[in-house]
Amino acid sequence: MEPRTPLLIVSPSPHLHAGLTTSGMMGTVLLALLPAAATAIYLFGLPALRVLLVCVLGSVAIEALWQKATDQPITVRDGSAALTGLLVAFNLPASSPWWLSLLGATLAIVVGKQVFGGLGHNPFNPALVARIVLLISFPSAMTHWTAPQPGRFLADAITAATPLSESQSAVMLSGHLPQHISEFSARYLLGSMPGCLGEVSALVLFLGALFLLWRGVISWHIPVSYLGTVTLLSGIFWLMDPGRYPHPMFHLVSGGLMLGACYMATDLVTSPLTTRGMLLFGCGCGLFTVLIRLFGSYPEGVAFSILLMNAVTPLIDRYVVPRPFGMDRGRELI
Amino acid sequence: MMAAMICLGSLGCVAALLLAMAARRFAVTIDPRQVALMEVLAGANCGACGFPGCDAYARALVAGTAKPDLCRPGGAETLKRIAAILGVEVTERPPQIAVMYCQGGLQQARPKYDYQGLQDCRAAQKLARGPKLCPAGCLGLGSCVQKCPFGALSIDARGLAMVDRGRCTGCGLCVAICPRQVLALAPATESIHVLCNNRESAARVKSYCNVGCLGCRLCVRTAPESFVMDSFLAQVRYGRGQPAVMAEAMERCPHHCILNLDEQGNDQILPTPPSARERSTP
Amino acid sequence: MICRSFPGGTHPPGHKTATAHAPSLICPLPAELVIPLAQHVGAPALPCVTAGQQVARGQVVGRADGFVSVPVHASTSGLITAVEPRPHPCGAELPAVVLQPDGEDAWAEEYQKQSFHVLSVEAMLERIREAGVVGMGGAAFPTHVKLDPPQGKSIDTVIINAVECEPWLTADRRVLLEQMEKVFTGLEILKEVSGAGHAYIGLEDNQPDVAALLAPHCQKRDIGLAVLPTRYPQGAERQLIYAVTGRRVPARGLPMDVGVLVQNVGTIAALTDAVTRGRPLIERMVTISGPGVIRPQNLRVRIGTPVAHLLKQCGVTEEPAMVILGGPMMGVAQHTQAIPVVRGTSGVLAFRRQDVPITTAGPCVRCGRCVAACPMRLQPTFIADYARRDELDLAERFAARNCIECGSCSFICPANIPLVQSIRYAKGAILARRRRM
Ligand code: SF4
Ligand code: SF4
Ligand code: SF4
Ligand code: SF4
C-alpha cells in the first residue's frame, strides 16, 4: 500500500450547525432556575438547601449508576438528570426529609425516565411522575408545609397551609373565600407563602422563563396558551362569584402554575412537536388545572393536568400534523 | 344502593350480550392448517420469506400463493413439516450460510476519507461511494448486524462484519441489505472460500489493500478444478473443490485470501493448521 | 410588491463579508484541466476527442447524448492527454477529458457579437444548448430543457434567483454587480424565449447595496425587484417562487406547473454569452472561502480547474480537514482535492479541523425544532426515524420524497442527529423500490 496521507473528512451536508445542543439547553434551563432556587433557600432556609442538594446530586448519581448497571453509555453530562433533580426538588416541600427527597429523585430517574429508554423516550415528565407517586404514597409528608421565614436560615419551622388549600377548605366549610385571598395581595407575587420549593416565587420563575424565551430554549406557545387559558377560565368564574372563586391573578401566582407552565409543560420530550400541537397542549393543561383547582378534591391540579396532557401528546402528534408545502389536504401523502 | 346495583348489573349484562354478538358476527374463521403452519414455522418473523411475518407467510401458504420452501431459517425440518401439512411434494434445498467475502480491516485496507455521520453502511456508501478506497470491501458500520434477526453477525476487532456460522440460518436478509454485496450465501457444507470481493486489477488492489485478491491466477493454476477466475477475482467452485489441492493453493496465495472457516464459524482470521484442515474437509 | 414568507427556515451565519466587496479576479490556468463529461443532469456527453489531439478553446470535446444532455467544451486550447475516469465531485470516478493547456488560449473561431432580436426562438434555444448552458446554482439542469416546456404548459413569469442563501458564497452577487448588463439582456432573452410577460429579480435584504443599484434599472425595464427578508433557504426554487409570486409549486410538480421559470444569475450571464456571442460555457464565477482560506476571493475559473489549484491561489492556513464544493448547507464534502470545478460549482470552501461541526448524535429530545425549521413543512424527526428503521412505507406516508435536502433540520437539531442523511437515504430507497415495482 502507498503511505498514508492525512484524510479529508467527509460527512453528510449540512456542514454547519446552529450551535444549540441538548446539553446547552439543559444548562440554560438550570441557569434560569437558579434564581428561583436561591429564592427558595432565602424563604425556607437550610431545609430547602438540603432538599435541593439531595435531589440534584441524587438524580445525577442514580442516573449514572443505572446506566452503569445496564451497560449503557453514561450520559449525565448532558445535564438532563440534574435538571430533573432540580425540578423534583421544586416539587417537594422544604420540610421533606432526606429519604423522601432521595426517593423522589430515584422515582423520577428510574420510573420516570430510564425504564422507558432514557432521555427522549419517556412519555411523562419524570419530575411530575415522582411528585404524584409521592403525593399518593406519602400524603402527609408531601403536604406538610412550613411558613416562609425570609432570611432566617436557621429558624424553627412553623407549620402552615398553602393559599390554595386554605382557599379550598374555606370554600368547602363556609362557602366563601377567606378575606386575605379574595383580596389578592402582592406578597404572593414575591412568593412569601407556604408551598413547595418551586411554588413560591412566581415572579422569579417568570423572569427565568423570559430569559429562556430570549435564549430560544423554549417557545412561547405552551406558557402563553396555558396561562392564558387559566386566566380566562378562572376569570369567568371569578366574575360569576368573586366571593367563592378567587381572582385569576391569585391563580397565576399561587401553587405550581408558573413552574408548571414555564418549565414542566414545556419539557421538550413530553410535549407536542408542532406549534399548533403545543397550543392545544397548553390549552388542555389550563383547562384541567382550573377544573381540578376549583372542583377537584386536590387543591392543586398543575401536576395532574400536565401528566394528563403528556398522555395525550402522542395523539396530538399523530393528528395535528403540518400539511406539507405544496400539497392539498385531501390528496396528500400518497 | 339497590338501584345502583341493579343499574350496574343490567349494564354489565347488556355489554356482555353485545360483546358476544360482536364476537360471533366478526369471528374470523382460521384454516386449521394455518394454525398448524404457525407451529412449524421458525417464528422469528424475520421476513426472509418475503412476507411481513410468519403469520402472513402461513396465510399465503394456505391460500396457495406462496412456495413452501421459503422459510430458510426453519431449514429442512420445517420444510418437511410444511409439506406434510399442505400435502405437497417438495425437494429439499441444500442449506446455505452467509459468507462475508472481505478481510480488509482497518489495518489491512486503506480508507478513502474520514467518515463522520450515521453509523450505517448504506448511508455511508452514498457519500463518495463509501469511505474505503476498495470499492467492494466491507465498510464495517454494521447495517447487516442490525438486520440479522438471529444475532449471527457482529463487527470484529478488525472492523469487519463476521458471520457466526453456527447461528446463521441462511435467511439472506444481510445479503439483501449490504450496499457492497460483500455478503453472499454459499452452501453450508463449504468451508473454504476466497475472502475477497474486489474485481479490480492487481495494481489497484495493491495500492489500497494488503489482503485483497490480486487476480494472479496462482490458485487457478495450482487447482484448476477448484478455482475459477471472475475478472481479477478468484472464486471457489462450490461443490467441485478438491480439498487436498486447495490446501496447496491456500499456501501459495500471495495475499492469503483463501481461508478455511472453522465449523463454529467465528474464526475467520487464521487459516486453520493443516491437521485441522484435513479434519474439517471431508 | 408583496413578499410572502415561506414556512420554516433558519438563519445560518452569513460569513459573506470576506468576499462580497472585492472585484473578482481571473484565475490563472492550472497545469492540467480535468473536464468531466457528466456535468449536468441527464445523459453524460460522449467524448469526441482522443488522447494526443490538439484542441482549441471552446472546441466541443463531448457531444450531447439525447435531448436532456448538453455538449462539453475545451476550457482552453491545448493538448488532450487522456480520456479516462477521474475523481468527480459526485464522489465516483467518471470519464473526463484531461487537457494540458498550451498557454495560447486561442478561441476555436471568432464570433461576432450579434443582437439576439434577429434570432428565432428555435435558433436561440439551439445556441443555448450548443453552448452547454446548465443551471449554475448547483442543480446543473440543462437550461434549454427548462426553457422549452412541454405542450400545454406555459410560462408567464420569469424570476432571476439572486438570493444566494448559502453562507460564504458571493459568486452570484459578484456576477450581478460586474455583469449587470448581461443579466438584463439575458432577462430579455428569457422573456422572449419563454413568452413570459412578467420578470422579477429575487434578492435578500442582506444585500442592500445591490438592491439600491438595481432599483433604477429595474424600474426602467419594468422588472419587479423583490427584496426578501433574509432567511435560509430562500434561494430554493419552490420557496423563492412562493416568496415572490405567492404560488405554491405542487409537491410532485415543477415550477412550470405554476407558470414560473427560475434562473440563477450565473446561468443568465452564461446564456447571454451563448446567444449574443455564441460563446460556450467554459468559465464560471467561484467563491473560494471558508475559515481555512487565507485570501478568500471570487475567481473566474475555467471549468475543469482542480480544487487544489484554487486553494493554492488563495492560500490555506493549514492542510484543510474538509473541502466542500458548493455551500456549507447543501454542498458536498470531497474526499480529494483533485476534483475539478464543474459547471454547477458555485463555491469551494476549506474548513480546518476545528470548524467541522461535531457529529456525535444524541437521542431526539422531541424539541420540534426540525419541524418548525422545515421549509417543506415535513416532520424530519419522524421521517429520519422511520428511515433508520427501514420503515419505508411510513417514511413515504410522511412525504419523505418532498424533502429538498436543504439541511435546515440537521442544522438546527440540538441532538445533532444527521436527519438529512437519513431522509436522503429514505428518498433513495423509496425511489429504488418504486422502480423495482
Ligand atoms: S458486510 Fe456489508 S452491511 Fe455488513 S458491515 Fe460490511 S459493508 Fe456493512
Ligand atoms: S447472517 Fe445473514 S443470512 Fe445468516 S441469519 Fe443473519 S441475516 Fe440471515
Ligand atoms: S432537509 Fe428536508 S426535511 Fe430537512 S428541513 Fe430541509 S426539506 Fe425539511
Ligand atoms: S430537532 Fe432534533 S431533537 Fe429536536 S425534534 Fe427534531 S430530531 Fe428531535
Side-chain angles (χ1 to χ4, degrees):
Chain A
M1 288 199 299
E2 290 160 17
R4 288 167 192 243
T5 46
L7 295 173
L8 287 173
I9 299 175
V10 173
S11 56
S13 63
H15 309 289
L16 269 187
H17 192 266
L20 188 70
T21 59
T22 306
S23 50
M25 285 202 292
M26 301 291 173
T28 315
V29 180
L30 279 173
L31 200 66
L33 283 173
L34 275 189
T39 314
I41 295 170
Y42 172 71
L43 290 175
F44 296 111
L46 284 182
L49 182 62
R50 185 187 58 195
V51 173
L52 283 165
L53 283 181
V54 170
C55 283
V56 173
L57 298 181
S59 295
V60 173
I62 285 161
E63 175 150 296
L65 282 178
W66 174 275
Q67 289 180 327
K68 195 158 179 88
T70 53
D71 241 357
Q72 296 168 40
I74 294 179
T75 58
V76 289
R77 279 161 161 273
D78 67 14
S80 85
L83 180 58
T84 304
L86 190 61
L87 287 174
V88 172
F90 275 13
N91 274 290
L92 295 176
S95 61
S96 332
W98 66 269
W99 57 267
L100 193 72
S101 314
L102 193 61
L103 187 62
T106 317
L107 281 170
I109 293 295
V110 176
V111 182
K113 186 171 154 194
Q114 290 298 342
V115 291
F116 295 106
L119 180 64
H121 301 284
N122 49 310
F124 299 106
N125 188 316
L128 290 179
V129 170
R131 174 188 173 122
I132 295 301
V133 174
L134 291 182
L135 189 62
I136 292 169
S137 328
F138 306 97
S140 68
M142 285 293 288
T143 50
H144 180 257
W145 315 108
T146 49
Q149 304 180 32
R152 298 176 55 201
F153 296 107
L154 299 169
D156 288 332
I158 307 166
T159 307
T162 69
L164 276 172
S165 54
E166 226 181 308
S167 74
Q168 190 187 38
S169 42
V171 169
M172 255 200 290
L173 288 177
S174 60
H176 54 80
L177 288 170
Q179 187 69 23
H180 64 279
I181 283 177
S182 58
E183 284 166 14
F184 166 76
S185 90
R187 76 189 165 98
Y188 292 143
L189 200 62
L190 298 170
S192 202
M193 57 187 159
C196 292
L197 296 189
E199 292 187 348
V200 289
S201 36
L203 188 64
V204 183
L205 286 168
F206 184 69
L207 292 179
L210 287 185
F211 171 70
L212 289 184
L213 272 177
W214 172 60
R215 301 296 308 175
V217 171
I218 60 173
S219 67
W220 57 269
H221 302 84
I222 291 178
V224 167
S225 57
Y226 194 165
L227 297 176
T229 311
V230 169
T231 315
L232 193 75
L233 284 181
S234 59
I236 292 173
F237 283 108
W238 177 71
L239 283 178
M240 282 174 1
D241 186 353
R244 192 182 165 95
Y245 301 111
H247 192 275
M249 200 59 196
F250 170 79
H251 277 288
L252 285 187
V253 298
S254 63
L257 184 59
M258 203 51 83
L259 180 71
C262 298
Y263 299 90
M264 315 252 270
T266 54
D267 172 33
L268 304 172
V269 179
T270 54
S271 60
L273 283 169
T274 59
T275 44
R276 270 193 302 152
M278 289 180 196
L279 291 175
L280 203 64
F281 180 90
C283 292
C285 288
L287 175 72
F288 288 118
T289 303
V290 174
L291 290 184
I292 295 174
R293 277 190 179 180
L294 297 184
F295 308 107
S297 58
Y298 281 96
E300 174 57 310
V302 170
F304 283 113
S305 9
I306 296 179
L307 282 180
L308 201 69
M309 290 313 286
N310 283 166
V312 188
T313 295
L315 265 179
I316 297 181
D317 273 340
R318 187 137 182 214
Y319 290 106
V320 184
V321 294
R323 173 162 49 100
F325 188 67
M327 278 181 151
D328 310 330
R329 192 160 275 295
R331 296 185 295 121
E332 83 200 56
L333 313 181
I334 2 124
Chain B
M1 193 64 205
M2 204 56 205
M5 277 172 75
I6 293 174
C7 223
L8 276 179
S10 47
L11 220 93
C13 289
V14 172
L17 213 71
L18 275 175
L19 271 178
M21 270 158 52
R24 182 69 56 88
R25 175 121 164 59
F26 296 111
V28 196
T29 46
I30 296 184
D31 191 316
R33 288 183 301 166
Q34 189 181 332
V35 182
L37 283 169
M38 280 300 291
E39 296 282 304
V40 304
L41 291 175
N45 286 319
C46 66
C49 48
F51 292 88
C54 299
D55 205 4
Y57 181 45
R59 216 174 308 134
L61 278 175
V62 171
T65 52
K67 284 209 239 115
D69 58 353
L70 297 179
C71 185
R72 305 307 301 258
E77 187 55 29
T78 300
L79 180 61
K80 240 184 282 161
R81 289 165 66 183
I82 293 175
I85 294 169
L86 296 176
V88 293
E89 281 290 310
V90 290
T91 43
E92 200 179 303
R93 276 207 277 174
Q96 290 187 308
I97 270 184
V99 177
M100 208 288 283
Y101 290 92
C102 176
Q103 296 191 84
L106 302 171
Q107 300 303 317
Q108 294 85 22
R110 247 178 95 192
K112 191 193 264 180
Y113 55 81
D114 180 357
Y115 173 68
Q116 308 262 326
L118 270 187
Q119 292 299 300
D120 181 307
C121 306
R122 294 166 301 173
Q125 175 71 13
K126 294 216 153 168
L127 290 180
R129 313 276 158 113
K132 257 189 179 163
L133 278 171
C134 170
C138 171
L139 298 177
L141 295 170
S143 294
C144 53
V145 178
Q146 281 177 21
K147 190 74 188 175
C148 178
F150 303 98
L153 283 160
S154 55
I155 300 294
D156 66 11
R158 295 170 301 169
L160 294 174
M162 187 176 76
V163 182
D164 181 337
R165 291 168 68 84
R167 287 202 194 167
C168 176
T169 61
C171 70
L173 290 174
C174 55
V175 176
I177 205 170
C178 176
R180 302 203 130 198
Q181 286 91 42
V182 61
L183 283 154
L185 292 176
T189 47
E190 300 283 340
S191 64
I192 301 179
H193 306 277
V194 180
L195 291 188
C196 180
N197 188 39
N198 184 314
R199 289 175 174 76
E200 294 198 317
S201 67
R204 290 197 65 123
V205 172
K206 269 189 191 154
S207 75
Y208 48 65
C209 183
N210 282 339
V211 290
C213 173
L214 300 171
C216 65
R217 304 183 66 90
L218 257 178
C219 51
V220 179
R221 262 181 270 149
T222 313
E225 294 294 301
S226 314
F227 295 98
V228 62
M229 294 302 294
D230 173 4
S231 157
F232 288 105
L233 178 62
Q235 286 172 342
V236 174
R237 303 173 88 165
Y238 294 129
R240 297 218 233 154
Q242 294 165 329
V245 226
M246 284 167 100
E248 200 189 326
M250 264 181 215
E251 305 279 292
R252 293 178 67 180
C253 174
H255 264 186
H256 301 293
C257 320
I258 311 171
L259 259 75
N260 184 11
L261 305 182
D262 75 6
E263 296 292 313
Q264 277 72 44
N266 46 19
D267 179 13
Q268 292 191 15
I269 303 171
L270 300 168
T272 35
S275 54
R277 207 179 285 153
E278 256 120 52
R279 240 192 303 117
S280 64
T281 46
Chain C
M1 159 127 285
I2 327 147
C3 294
R4 290 152 197 88
S5 89
F6 64 91
T10 50
H11 294 275
H15 295 300
K16 295 198 189 238
T17 42
T19 52
H21 301 290
S24 65
L25 302 174
I26 294 173
C27 177
L29 283 171
E32 182 185 84
L33 287 162
V34 179
I35 307 167
L37 290 163
Q39 294 189 39
H40 47 263
V41 174
L46 301 170
C48 56
V49 287
T50 48
Q53 190 176 335
Q54 194 73 29
V55 290
R57 178 181 181 187
Q59 185 178 331
V60 174
V61 294
R63 276 179 293 112
D65 182 21
F67 178 61
V68 187
S69 182
V70 287
V72 173
H73 309 81
S75 308
T76 183
S77 59
L79 184 73
I80 306 287
T81 52
V83 180
E84 62 183 16
R86 285 295 183 101
H88 184 276
C90 78
E93 298 203 345
L94 295 180
V97 173
V98 185
L99 174 65
Q100 193 182 341
D102 59 9
E104 301 287 323
D105 210 14
W107 279 102
E109 52 199 282
E110 262 323 315
Y111 291 96
Q112 281 305 308
K113 196 164 180 246
Q114 185 176 24
S115 165
F116 67 90
H117 294 292
V118 302
L119 294 169
S120 69
V121 168
E122 284 70 33
M124 285 196 267
L125 279 176
E126 188 53 30
R127 285 191 167 205
I128 292 169
R129 179 189 152 117
E130 280 304 311
V133 180
V134 298
M136 285 161 76
F141 194 77
T143 302
H144 68 274
V145 182
K146 237 175 154 179
L147 285 176
D148 199 5
Q151 282 292 301
K153 302 248 161 84
S154 66
I155 289 166
D156 58 39
T157 305
V158 184
I159 302 175
I160 296 202
N161 184 352
V163 165
E164 206 160 43
C165 52
E166 284 265 14
W168 276 293
L169 302 191
T170 55
D172 282 350
R173 175 190 153 89
R174 289 319 308 176
V175 172
L176 197 53
L177 285 175
E178 294 169 14
Q179 308 175 11
M180 197 175 284
E181 268 319 304
K182 273 195 204 168
V183 173
F184 284 121
T185 314
L187 202 44
E188 297 291 312
I189 299 174
L190 273 187
K191 279 168 90 171
E192 186 138 340
V193 172
S194 64
H198 307 281
Y200 296 97
I201 297 182
L203 200 67
E204 278 189 340
D205 61 6
N206 59 358
Q207 300 193 58
D209 50 340
V210 182
L213 209 61
L214 285 177
H217 293 276
C218 289
Q219 203 145 30
K220 205 163 63 201
R221 294 181 161 87
D222 195 22
I223 295 168
L225 183 63
V227 183
L228 309 161
T230 305
R231 186 149 45 107
Y232 182 86
Q234 192 95 254
E237 228 171 30
R238 290 157 195 272
Q239 277 63 31
L240 183 65
I241 291 172
Y242 182 69
V244 174
T245 67
R247 302 180 196 172
R248 288 171 210 260
V249 180
R252 300 275 182 273
L254 292 169
M256 63 173 73
D257 292 333
V258 292
V260 180
L261 171 74
V262 181
Q263 288 293 353
N264 162 278
V265 173
T267 319
I268 299 278
L271 174 143
T272 309
D273 274 344
V275 173
T276 60
R277 302 203 293 166
R279 285 277 161 90
L281 170 49
I282 55 168
E283 185 185 88
R284 68 155 299 151
M285 188 79 78
V286 180
T287 306
I288 293 101
S289 190
V293 174
I294 299 173
R295 295 177 298 278
Q297 54 195 300
N298 278 293
L299 293 180
R300 297 210 290 283
V301 179
R302 295 294 164 86
I303 304 297
T305 307
V307 163
H309 178 75
L310 296 180
L311 291 179
K312 200 148 89 226
Q313 291 301 315
C314 302
V316 282
T317 52
E318 61 199 73
E319 200 47 40
M322 192 185 232
V323 172
I324 300 164
L325 238 56
M329 298 297 281
M330 294 182 75
V332 183
Q334 301 295 333
H335 66 89
T336 156
Q337 293 189 23
I339 33 118
V341 164
V342 292
R343 287 168 178 163
T345 308
S346 44
V348 174
L349 303 180
F351 281 15
R352 295 161 301 175
R353 188 157 280 275
Q354 65 262 38
D355 308 315
V356 180
I358 37 141
T359 43
T360 40
C364 169
V365 292
R366 291 178 34 86
C367 66
R369 281 179 167 71
C370 53
V371 181
C374 179
M376 297 304 287
R377 285 173 62 86
L378 308 179
Q379 302 194 72
T381 177
F382 286 145
I383 304 179
D385 193 37
Y386 295 138
R388 279 193 293 274
R389 302 202 318 247
D390 255 307
E391 307 255 25
L392 292 186
D393 290 324
L394 281 168
E396 195 168 0
R397 193 124 53 81
F398 278 76
R401 283 196 299 152
N402 291 15
C403 169
I404 55 170
E405 303 181 17
C406 68
S408 300
C409 48
S410 297
F411 170 76
I412 205 91
C413 174
N416 247 313
I417 302 174
L419 295 159
V420 188
Q421 197 184 15
S422 297
I423 298 172
R424 199 178 290 138
Y425 163 71
K427 283 172 69 178
I430 290 170
L431 282 182
R433 196 176 60 164
R434 295 222 149 191
R435 246 177 272 127
R436 273 203 307 277
M437 285 194 307

